Coordinates of all heavy atoms in Angstrom, one line a residue:
M1 N 88.8 103.5 115.4 CA 89.8 102.7 114.5 C 90.7 103.6 113.7 O 90.1 104.7 113.1 CB 88.9 101.8 113.7 CG 89.5 100.8 112.9 SD 88.6 99.7 111.9 CE 87.2 99.5 112.9
K2 N 91.8 103.2 113.5 CA 92.6 104.0 112.6 C 92.3 104.1 111.2 O 91.7 103.1 110.6 CB 94.1 103.5 112.8 CG 94.7 103.7 114.2 CD 96.1 103.4 114.3 CE 96.5 103.6 115.8 NZ 97.8 103.4 116.0
E3 N 92.5 105.1 110.5 CA 91.9 105.3 109.2 C 92.6 104.3 108.2 O 92.0 103.8 107.3 CB 92.4 106.7 108.6 CG 91.7 107.1 107.4 CD 92.1 108.5 106.9 OE1 91.8 109.4 107.8 OE2 92.2 108.7 105.7
Y4 N 93.9 103.9 108.3 CA 94.6 103.0 107.5 C 94.0 101.6 107.5 O 93.9 100.9 106.6 CB 96.1 103.0 107.7 CG 96.6 102.3 108.8 CD1 96.9 101.0 108.7 CD2 96.8 102.8 110.0 CE1 97.4 100.2 109.8 CE2 97.2 102.1 111.2 CZ 97.5 100.8 111.0 OH 98.0 100.1 112.1
I5 N 93.5 101.3 108.6 CA 92.9 100.0 108.9 C 91.5 100.0 108.3 O 91.2 99.0 107.5 CB 92.6 99.6 110.4 CG1 94.0 99.5 111.1 CG2 91.9 98.4 110.5 CD1 94.0 99.3 112.6
E6 N 90.8 101.1 108.2 CA 89.5 101.1 107.5 C 89.8 101.0 106.1 O 89.0 100.3 105.3 CB 88.7 102.4 107.8 CG 88.2 102.5 109.3 CD 87.5 103.7 109.6 OE1 87.2 104.5 108.7 OE2 87.2 104.0 110.7
E7 N 90.8 101.8 105.5 CA 91.1 101.7 104.1 C 91.5 100.3 103.7 O 91.1 99.9 102.6 CB 92.2 102.8 103.8 CG 91.8 104.2 103.9 CD 92.9 105.1 103.7 OE1 93.9 104.7 103.1 OE2 92.8 106.3 104.0
R8 N 92.4 99.6 104.5 CA 92.8 98.3 104.1 C 91.5 97.3 104.2 O 91.5 96.6 103.2 CB 93.8 97.8 105.2 CG 94.3 96.4 104.9 CD 95.3 96.0 106.0 NE 94.4 95.7 107.2 CZ 94.9 95.8 108.4 NH1 96.3 96.1 108.6 NH2 94.3 95.6 109.5
A9 N 90.7 97.4 105.1 CA 89.5 96.6 105.1 C 88.7 96.7 103.9 O 88.3 95.8 103.3 CB 88.6 96.8 106.4
M10 N 88.5 98.1 103.5 CA 87.7 98.2 102.3 C 88.4 97.7 101.0 O 87.7 97.2 100.2 CB 87.4 99.8 102.1 CG 86.5 100.2 103.2 SD 86.1 101.9 103.2 CE 85.6 102.3 101.6
E11 N 89.7 97.9 101.0 CA 90.5 97.6 99.7 C 90.4 95.9 99.7 O 90.2 95.4 98.6 CB 91.9 97.9 99.9 CG 92.1 99.4 99.6 CD 93.5 99.8 99.7 OE1 94.5 98.9 99.5 OE2 93.9 101.0 100.0
I12 N 90.5 95.2 100.8 CA 90.5 93.8 100.9 C 89.2 93.4 100.4 O 88.9 92.4 99.6 CB 90.9 93.3 102.3 CG1 92.3 93.5 102.5 CG2 90.5 91.8 102.4 CD1 92.8 93.2 103.9
A13 N 88.0 94.0 101.0 CA 86.7 93.7 100.6 C 86.4 93.8 99.0 O 85.8 93.0 98.4 CB 85.7 94.4 101.4
H14 N 86.9 94.8 98.5 CA 86.7 95.1 97.1 C 87.4 94.1 96.3 O 86.8 93.5 95.2 CB 87.1 96.5 96.7 CG 86.1 97.6 97.0 ND1 84.9 97.6 96.5 CD2 86.2 98.6 97.9 CE1 84.2 98.8 97.0 NE2 85.0 99.3 97.9
Y15 N 88.6 93.8 96.7 CA 89.4 92.7 96.1 C 88.7 91.4 96.0 O 88.6 90.7 95.1 CB 90.7 92.7 96.6 CG 91.7 91.6 96.1 CD1 92.2 91.7 94.7 CD2 92.0 90.4 96.8 CE1 93.1 90.7 94.2 CE2 92.7 89.4 96.3 CZ 93.3 89.5 95.0 OH 94.0 88.6 94.4
I16 N 88.2 90.9 97.3 CA 87.6 89.7 97.4 C 86.3 89.7 96.6 O 86.1 88.7 95.9 CB 87.2 89.4 98.8 CG1 88.4 89.1 99.7 CG2 86.1 88.3 99.0 CD1 88.2 89.1 101.2
I17 N 85.5 90.7 96.5 CA 84.2 90.8 95.7 C 84.7 90.7 94.2 O 84.1 90.0 93.4 CB 83.5 92.0 96.0 CG1 82.9 91.9 97.5 CG2 82.3 92.2 95.1 CD1 82.5 93.2 98.0
D18 N 85.6 91.6 93.7 CA 85.9 91.6 92.4 C 86.5 90.4 91.8 O 86.3 90.1 90.6 CB 86.8 92.9 92.1 CG 86.2 94.2 92.4 OD1 85.0 94.3 92.4 OD2 86.9 95.1 92.5
T19 N 87.3 89.7 92.6 CA 88.0 88.5 92.0 C 87.5 87.2 92.6 O 88.1 86.2 92.3 CB 89.6 88.6 92.4 OG1 89.7 88.6 93.7 CG2 90.2 89.9 91.7
N20 N 86.6 87.2 93.5 CA 86.1 85.9 94.2 C 87.3 85.3 94.9 O 87.4 84.1 94.9 CB 85.4 85.0 93.2 CG 84.0 85.5 92.8 OD1 83.4 86.1 93.6 ND2 83.7 85.2 91.5
A21 N 88.1 86.2 95.5 CA 89.4 85.6 96.1 C 89.0 84.9 97.4 O 88.1 85.3 98.1 CB 90.3 86.8 96.4
T22 N 89.9 84.0 97.7 CA 89.8 83.4 99.1 C 90.5 84.3 100.1 O 91.2 85.2 99.7 CB 90.4 82.0 99.1 OG1 91.8 82.2 98.7 CG2 89.8 81.0 98.0
V23 N 90.4 84.0 101.4 CA 91.1 84.6 102.5 C 92.6 84.4 102.2 O 93.4 85.5 102.4 CB 90.6 84.1 103.8 CG1 91.6 84.6 104.9 CG2 89.2 84.4 104.1
R24 N 93.0 83.4 101.8 CA 94.4 83.1 101.6 C 95.0 83.9 100.5 O 96.1 84.5 100.5 CB 94.6 81.6 101.3 CG 96.1 81.2 101.3 CD 96.2 79.6 101.0 NE 95.7 79.1 102.2 CZ 96.4 78.1 102.9 NH1 97.5 77.6 102.4 NH2 95.8 77.5 103.9
Q25 N 94.3 84.0 99.4 CA 94.7 84.8 98.2 C 94.8 86.4 98.6 O 95.6 87.0 98.2 CB 93.7 84.6 97.0 CG 93.9 83.3 96.4 CD 92.7 82.9 95.5 OE1 91.6 83.5 95.6 NE2 93.0 82.0 94.5
A26 N 93.7 86.8 99.3 CA 93.7 88.2 99.8 C 94.8 88.5 100.6 O 95.4 89.5 100.5 CB 92.4 88.5 100.5
A27 N 95.1 87.6 101.6 CA 96.3 87.8 102.5 C 97.6 87.9 101.8 O 98.3 88.8 102.2 CB 96.3 86.6 103.5
K28 N 97.8 87.0 100.8 CA 99.0 87.1 100.0 C 99.1 88.4 99.3 O 100.1 89.0 99.3 CB 99.0 85.9 99.1 CG 100.4 85.8 98.4 CD 100.4 84.5 97.6 CE 101.7 84.3 96.8 NZ 101.7 83.0 96.0
K29 N 98.0 88.8 98.7 CA 98.0 90.0 97.8 C 98.2 91.3 98.7 O 99.0 92.3 98.2 CB 96.5 90.2 97.1 CG 96.3 91.5 96.6 CD 96.8 91.6 95.1 CE 96.3 92.9 94.6 NZ 97.1 93.3 93.5
F30 N 97.8 91.4 99.8 CA 98.0 92.5 100.7 C 99.0 92.4 101.7 O 99.2 93.4 102.4 CB 96.6 92.9 101.4 CG 95.6 93.4 100.5 CD1 94.6 92.6 99.9 CD2 95.5 94.7 100.1 CE1 93.7 93.0 98.9 CE2 94.6 95.2 99.2 CZ 93.7 94.4 98.6
G31 N 99.7 91.3 101.8 CA 100.9 91.1 102.6 C 100.5 91.2 104.2 O 101.2 91.6 104.9
V32 N 99.3 90.5 104.4 CA 98.9 90.4 105.8 C 98.5 89.0 106.1 O 98.5 88.1 105.2 CB 97.6 91.3 106.2 CG1 98.0 92.8 106.0 CG2 96.5 91.0 105.2
S33 N 98.2 88.7 107.4 CA 97.8 87.3 107.7 C 96.4 87.0 107.3 O 95.6 87.9 107.2 CB 98.1 87.0 109.2 OG 97.1 87.7 110.0
K34 N 96.2 85.7 107.2 CA 94.8 85.2 107.0 C 93.8 85.7 108.1 O 92.7 86.1 107.9 CB 94.6 83.7 106.9 CG 95.4 83.2 105.7 CD 95.2 81.7 105.5 CE 95.8 81.0 106.8 NZ 95.6 79.5 106.6
S35 N 94.3 85.7 109.3 CA 93.6 86.2 110.5 C 93.3 87.7 110.3 O 92.1 88.1 110.7 CB 94.3 86.0 111.8 OG 94.6 84.6 111.9
T36 N 94.1 88.5 109.9 CA 93.9 89.9 109.6 C 92.9 90.1 108.6 O 91.9 91.0 108.8 CB 95.2 90.6 109.3 OG1 96.1 90.5 110.3 CG2 94.9 92.1 108.9
V37 N 92.9 89.4 107.5 CA 91.8 89.5 106.5 C 90.5 89.2 107.0 O 89.5 89.9 106.8 CB 92.3 88.6 105.2 CG1 91.0 88.5 104.2 CG2 93.4 89.0 104.5
H38 N 90.4 88.0 107.7 CA 89.2 87.6 108.3 C 88.6 88.7 109.3 O 87.5 89.0 109.1 CB 89.3 86.2 108.9 CG 88.1 85.6 109.3 ND1 87.5 85.8 110.5 CD2 87.1 84.9 108.5 CE1 86.3 85.2 110.6 NE2 86.1 84.6 109.4
K39 N 89.5 89.2 110.1 CA 89.0 90.1 111.1 C 88.7 91.4 110.5 O 87.6 92.0 110.9 CB 90.2 90.4 112.1 CG 89.8 91.3 113.3 CD 90.8 91.2 114.4 CE 90.2 92.0 115.6 NZ 90.2 91.1 116.8
D40 N 89.3 91.9 109.4 CA 89.0 93.1 108.7 C 87.6 92.9 108.1 O 86.9 93.9 108.2 CB 90.0 93.4 107.7 CG 91.3 94.0 108.1 OD1 91.4 94.4 109.4 OD2 92.2 94.3 107.4
V41 N 87.3 91.9 107.4 CA 86.1 91.8 106.6 C 84.9 91.4 107.6 O 83.8 92.0 107.4 CB 86.3 90.7 105.6 CG1 85.0 90.4 104.9 CG2 87.2 91.1 104.5
V42 N 85.2 90.6 108.5 CA 84.1 90.1 109.4 C 83.8 90.9 110.6 O 82.5 91.2 110.9 CB 84.4 88.6 109.7 CG1 83.2 88.1 110.7 CG2 84.4 87.7 108.5
E43 N 84.7 91.5 111.1 CA 84.6 92.3 112.4 C 84.7 93.8 112.2 O 83.8 94.5 112.7 CB 85.5 91.9 113.5 CG 85.3 90.4 114.0 CD 86.4 90.0 115.0 OE1 86.9 90.9 115.7 OE2 86.5 88.8 115.2
R44 N 85.6 94.2 111.5 CA 86.0 95.7 111.5 C 85.0 96.4 110.4 O 84.5 97.5 110.7 CB 87.4 96.0 111.1 CG 88.3 95.6 112.3 CD 89.7 95.8 111.9 NE 90.6 95.5 113.0 CZ 91.7 94.7 112.9 NH1 92.1 94.3 111.8 NH2 92.3 94.4 114.0
L45 N 84.9 95.9 109.2 CA 84.3 96.4 108.1 C 82.8 96.8 108.4 O 82.3 97.7 108.1 CB 84.5 95.6 106.9 CG 83.9 96.2 105.6 CD1 84.7 97.6 105.2 CD2 84.1 95.3 104.4
P46 N 82.1 95.9 109.1 CA 80.7 96.0 109.3 C 80.3 97.3 110.2 O 79.3 97.9 110.2 CB 80.2 94.9 110.0 CG 81.1 93.8 109.7 CD 82.4 94.5 109.3
Q47 N 81.4 97.7 110.9 CA 81.3 98.9 111.8 C 81.2 100.2 111.0 O 80.5 101.1 111.5 CB 82.4 99.1 112.8 CG 82.5 97.9 113.7 CD 83.9 97.9 114.5 OE1 84.6 98.9 114.4 NE2 84.1 97.0 115.3
F48 N 81.6 100.3 109.8 CA 81.5 101.5 109.0 C 81.0 101.3 107.5 O 80.8 102.3 106.9 CB 82.9 102.2 109.0 CG 84.0 101.4 108.5 CD1 84.4 101.4 107.2 CD2 84.8 100.7 109.4 CE1 85.4 100.7 106.7 CE2 85.9 99.9 108.9 CZ 86.2 99.9 107.5
N49 N 80.9 100.1 107.1 CA 80.4 99.9 105.7 C 79.7 98.5 105.7 O 80.2 97.5 105.2 CB 81.4 100.0 104.7 CG 80.8 100.1 103.3 OD1 79.7 99.7 103.0 ND2 81.6 100.7 102.4
L50 N 78.4 98.4 106.2 CA 77.7 97.2 106.3 C 77.4 96.5 105.0 O 77.6 95.4 104.8 CB 76.4 97.4 107.2 CG 75.6 96.1 107.4 CD1 76.6 95.1 108.3 CD2 74.4 96.4 108.2
A51 N 77.1 97.3 104.1 CA 76.7 96.7 102.7 C 77.9 96.0 102.1 O 77.9 94.9 101.6 CB 76.1 97.8 101.8
L52 N 79.1 96.7 102.2 CA 80.3 96.2 101.5 C 80.7 94.8 102.3 O 81.1 93.9 101.8 CB 81.4 97.2 101.6 CG 82.8 96.7 100.9 CD1 82.6 96.4 99.5 CD2 83.8 97.9 101.1
A53 N 80.6 94.9 103.6 CA 80.9 93.8 104.5 C 80.0 92.5 104.2 O 80.5 91.4 104.1 CB 80.8 94.2 105.9
Q54 N 78.8 92.8 103.9 CA 77.8 91.7 103.6 C 78.2 91.2 102.2 O 78.1 89.9 102.0 CB 76.4 92.2 103.7 CG 75.8 92.5 105.1 CD 74.5 93.1 105.2 OE1 74.1 93.8 104.1 NE2 73.8 93.0 106.2
S55 N 78.5 91.9 101.3 CA 78.9 91.4 99.9 C 80.1 90.5 100.0 O 80.3 89.5 99.3 CB 79.1 92.6 99.0 OG 77.8 93.3 98.8
A56 N 81.2 91.1 100.7 CA 82.3 90.3 101.0 C 82.1 89.0 101.6 O 82.7 87.9 101.3 CB 83.4 91.1 101.6
R57 N 81.3 89.1 102.6 CA 81.0 87.9 103.4 C 80.4 86.7 102.6 O 80.6 85.6 102.8 CB 80.1 88.3 104.6 CG 79.9 87.1 105.5 CD 81.2 86.7 106.2 NE 80.9 85.4 107.0 CZ 81.0 85.3 108.2 NH1 81.3 86.5 109.0 NH2 80.9 84.2 108.9
K58 N 79.5 87.1 101.6 CA 78.7 86.1 100.8 C 79.9 85.5 100.0 O 79.8 84.2 99.8 CB 77.9 86.9 99.8 CG 76.5 87.3 100.5 CD 75.6 88.1 99.5 CE 74.4 88.6 100.2 NZ 73.5 89.3 99.1
V59 N 80.9 86.2 99.4 CA 82.0 85.5 98.6 C 82.7 84.6 99.5 O 83.0 83.4 99.2 CB 82.9 86.6 98.0 CG1 83.9 85.9 97.3 CG2 82.1 87.4 96.9
L60 N 83.1 85.0 100.8 CA 83.9 84.2 101.6 C 83.0 83.0 102.0 O 83.7 81.9 102.1 CB 84.2 85.1 102.9 CG 85.2 86.2 102.7 CD1 85.6 86.8 104.0 CD2 86.5 85.6 102.0
D61 N 81.7 83.1 102.3 CA 81.0 82.0 102.6 C 80.9 80.9 101.5 O 81.0 79.7 101.7 CB 79.5 82.4 103.0 CG 79.4 83.1 104.3 OD1 80.4 83.0 105.1 OD2 78.5 83.7 104.6
V62 N 80.7 81.4 100.2 CA 80.8 80.5 99.2 C 82.2 79.8 99.0 O 82.2 78.5 98.9 CB 80.5 81.2 97.7 CG1 80.7 80.3 96.5 CG2 79.1 81.7 97.8
N63 N 83.2 80.6 99.2 CA 84.6 79.9 99.2 C 84.7 78.9 100.2 O 85.3 77.9 100.0 CB 85.6 81.0 99.3 CG 85.9 81.9 98.0 OD1 85.4 81.5 96.9 ND2 86.3 83.1 98.2
K64 N 84.2 79.2 101.4 CA 84.3 78.3 102.5 C 83.6 77.0 102.2 O 84.1 75.9 102.6 CB 83.8 78.9 103.9 CG 84.1 78.0 105.0 CD 83.7 78.8 106.3 CE 83.8 77.9 107.4 NZ 83.5 78.6 108.7
S65 N 82.4 77.1 101.6 CA 81.6 75.9 101.3 C 82.3 75.0 100.3 O 81.9 73.9 100.1 CB 80.2 76.3 100.9 OG 80.1 76.9 99.6
E66 N 83.0 75.6 99.4 CA 83.8 75.0 98.3 C 85.1 74.5 98.7 O 85.8 73.8 97.8 CB 83.7 75.8 97.0 CG 82.3 76.1 96.6 CD 82.4 77.1 95.4 OE1 83.5 77.7 95.2 OE2 81.3 77.3 94.8
R67 N 85.6 74.9 99.7 CA 87.1 74.6 100.0 C 87.5 73.1 100.0 O 88.5 72.8 99.6 CB 87.6 75.3 101.3 CG 87.1 74.7 102.6 CD 87.6 75.5 103.7 NE 86.9 75.0 104.9 CZ 87.1 75.6 106.1 NH1 87.8 76.7 106.2 NH2 86.5 75.1 107.1
H68 N 86.5 72.3 100.4 CA 86.8 70.8 100.5 C 87.0 70.3 99.1 O 87.7 69.4 98.8 CB 85.8 70.1 101.3 CG 84.4 70.0 100.6 ND1 83.6 71.2 100.8 CD2 83.8 69.1 100.0 CE1 82.5 70.9 100.1 NE2 82.6 69.6 99.7
I69 N 86.3 70.9 98.2 CA 86.3 70.5 96.8 C 87.6 70.8 96.1 O 88.4 70.1 95.5 CB 85.2 71.1 95.9 CG1 83.9 70.5 96.5 CG2 85.3 70.7 94.4 CD1 82.6 71.2 95.9
R70 N 88.1 72.1 96.4 CA 89.4 72.6 95.9 C 90.5 71.8 96.5 O 91.5 71.5 95.7 CB 89.5 74.1 96.2 CG 88.8 75.1 95.3 CD 89.2 76.4 95.4 NE 89.1 76.9 96.7 CZ 88.0 77.5 97.4 NH1 86.8 77.6 96.6 NH2 87.9 77.9 98.5
G71 N 90.5 71.5 97.8 CA 91.5 70.7 98.4 C 91.6 69.3 97.8 O 92.7 68.8 97.5
G72 N 90.4 68.7 97.5 CA 90.4 67.4 96.8 C 90.9 67.4 95.4 O 91.8 66.5 95.0
L73 N 90.7 68.5 94.7 CA 91.2 68.6 93.3 C 92.7 68.8 93.4 O 93.5 68.3 92.6 CB 90.6 69.8 92.6 CG 89.1 69.5 92.3 CD1 88.4 70.8 91.7 CD2 88.9 68.3 91.3
A74 N 93.2 69.6 94.4 CA 94.6 69.9 94.5 C 95.3 68.5 94.8 O 96.4 68.4 94.2 CB 94.9 70.8 95.5
T75 N 94.8 67.8 95.7 CA 95.5 66.4 96.0 C 95.5 65.6 94.9 O 96.5 64.9 94.5 CB 94.7 65.9 97.2 OG1 94.7 66.7 98.3 CG2 95.4 64.5 97.6
R76 N 94.4 65.6 94.0 CA 94.3 64.7 92.9 C 95.4 65.1 91.8 O 96.1 64.3 91.3 CB 92.9 64.8 92.3 CG 92.7 64.0 91.0 CD 91.3 64.1 90.6 NE 91.1 63.2 89.4 CZ 90.9 63.6 88.2 NH1 91.0 64.9 87.9 NH2 90.8 62.8 87.2
E77 N 95.6 66.4 91.6 CA 96.5 66.9 90.7 C 97.9 66.5 91.2 O 98.8 66.1 90.3 CB 96.4 68.4 90.6 CG 95.2 68.9 89.8 CD 95.4 68.6 88.3 OE1 96.5 68.6 87.8 OE2 94.3 68.1 87.7
K78 N 98.2 66.6 92.5 CA 99.5 66.3 93.0 C 99.8 65.0 92.7 O 101.0 64.5 92.2 CB 99.4 66.4 94.6 CG 100.6 66.0 95.2 CD 100.5 66.2 96.8 CE 101.6 65.5 97.5 NZ 101.4 65.6 98.9
Y79 N 98.9 64.0 92.8 CA 99.2 62.5 92.7 C 99.2 62.2 91.3 O 100.0 61.3 90.8 CB 98.2 61.6 93.4 CG 98.6 61.7 94.9 CD1 97.8 62.2 95.8 CD2 99.8 61.1 95.4 CE1 98.1 62.3 97.3 CE2 100.0 61.1 96.7 CZ 99.3 61.8 97.7 OH 99.6 61.7 98.9
L80 N 98.5 63.0 90.4 CA 98.6 62.7 88.9 C 99.9 63.2 88.4 O 100.5 62.5 87.6 CB 97.5 63.5 88.2 CG 96.1 62.9 88.3 CD1 95.1 64.0 87.6 CD2 96.1 61.6 87.5
H81 N 100.5 64.2 88.9 CA 101.8 64.6 88.5 C 102.9 63.6 89.0 O 103.9 63.3 88.3 CB 102.2 66.1 89.1 CG 101.5 67.1 88.3 ND1 100.2 67.3 88.3 CD2 102.0 68.2 87.6 CE1 99.9 68.4 87.6 NE2 101.0 68.8 87.1
I82 N 102.8 63.1 90.1 CA 103.8 62.1 90.7 C 103.7 60.8 89.8 O 104.7 60.3 89.5 CB 103.4 61.7 92.2 CG1 103.7 63.0 93.1 CG2 104.1 60.5 92.6 CD1 103.2 62.8 94.6
E83 N 102.5 60.4 89.4 CA 102.4 59.2 88.6 C 103.0 59.5 87.2 O 103.6 58.6 86.6 CB 100.9 58.7 88.5 CG 100.3 58.0 89.5 CD 99.0 57.4 89.3 OE1 98.7 57.3 88.0 OE2 98.4 57.1 90.3
Q84 N 102.9 60.7 86.7 CA 103.4 61.0 85.3 C 104.9 61.0 85.3 O 105.6 60.8 84.3 CB 102.8 62.3 84.9 CG 101.4 62.3 84.5 CD 100.7 63.6 84.2 OE1 101.5 64.6 84.3 NE2 99.5 63.6 83.8
R85 N 105.4 61.3 86.4 CA 107.0 61.4 86.6 C 107.5 60.0 86.6 O 108.8 59.8 86.3 CB 107.4 62.1 87.7 CG 107.1 63.5 87.7 CD 107.5 64.3 89.0 NE 107.2 65.6 88.9 CZ 107.1 66.4 89.9 NH1 107.6 66.0 91.1 NH2 106.7 67.6 89.8
R86 N 106.8 59.0 86.9 CA 107.3 57.6 87.0 C 107.6 57.0 85.7 O 107.2 57.2 84.7 CB 106.4 56.6 87.7 CG 106.3 57.0 89.3 CD 105.4 56.2 90.0 NE 105.2 56.6 91.2 CZ 104.5 55.9 92.2 NH1 103.8 54.9 91.9 NH2 104.5 56.4 93.4

C-alpha cells in the first residue's frame, strides 16, 4: 500500500476519534468520498494499525446507530423553519 494512503487513513481515523465525526464529515474535511473514508478506516487501516482501526470503528458504529435520530431531527428542523416563514 502506498505511504500516502496509510497516512491519510491514520489522519482520518484520528479525526473521527477526536471529534466523533461521521463518515460524511470526515469525507468533507479531507476532500475524499464517503466510500474512501469507509474503505480507509474499515479495510486498509486494520492492516497496519489494528488498535487505531478498532477505536475509529467504535465511533463509526455509534454514529451509524444514531443516524436515524439525526435524520429525524434534521427533518423536524426543516419543517419548523418552513412554518416560521409563513
Side-chain angles (χ1 to χ4, degrees):
M1 187 178 326
K2 296 188 178 183
E3 189 175 322
Y4 77 93
I5 294 174
E6 290 181 9
E7 289 177 19
R8 181 185 67 208
M10 289 177 50
E11 287 178 23
I12 290 172
H14 282 294
Y15 177 74
I16 289 171
I17 293 166
D18 294 343
T19 63
N20 288 323
T22 63
V23 170
R24 185 176 297 230
Q25 290 167 334
K28 187 174 182 179
K29 166 84 173 160
F30 290 92
V32 296
S33 70
K34 294 183 298 181
S35 299
T36 299
V37 170
H38 190 266
K39 187 169 187 118
D40 281 355
V41 175
V42 175
E43 294 179 22
R44 294 180 178 131
L45 190 58
Q47 295 175 4
F48 56 89
N49 193 333
L50 185 59
L52 183 60
Q54 289 173 337
S55 297
R57 185 63 191 249
K58 285 180 186 176
V59 174
L60 293 180
D61 287 344
V62 168
N63 286 341
K64 186 176 180 180
S65 70
E66 295 175 348
R67 71 181 173 191
H68 67 284
I69 296 168
R70 282 193 301 275
L73 291 175
T75 302
R76 181 173 183 257
E77 286 292 318
K78 173 185 171 183
Y79 287 108
L80 285 175
H81 282 63
I82 290 172
E83 278 188 24
Q84 289 174 354
R85 291 181 187 163
R86 289 182 185 181

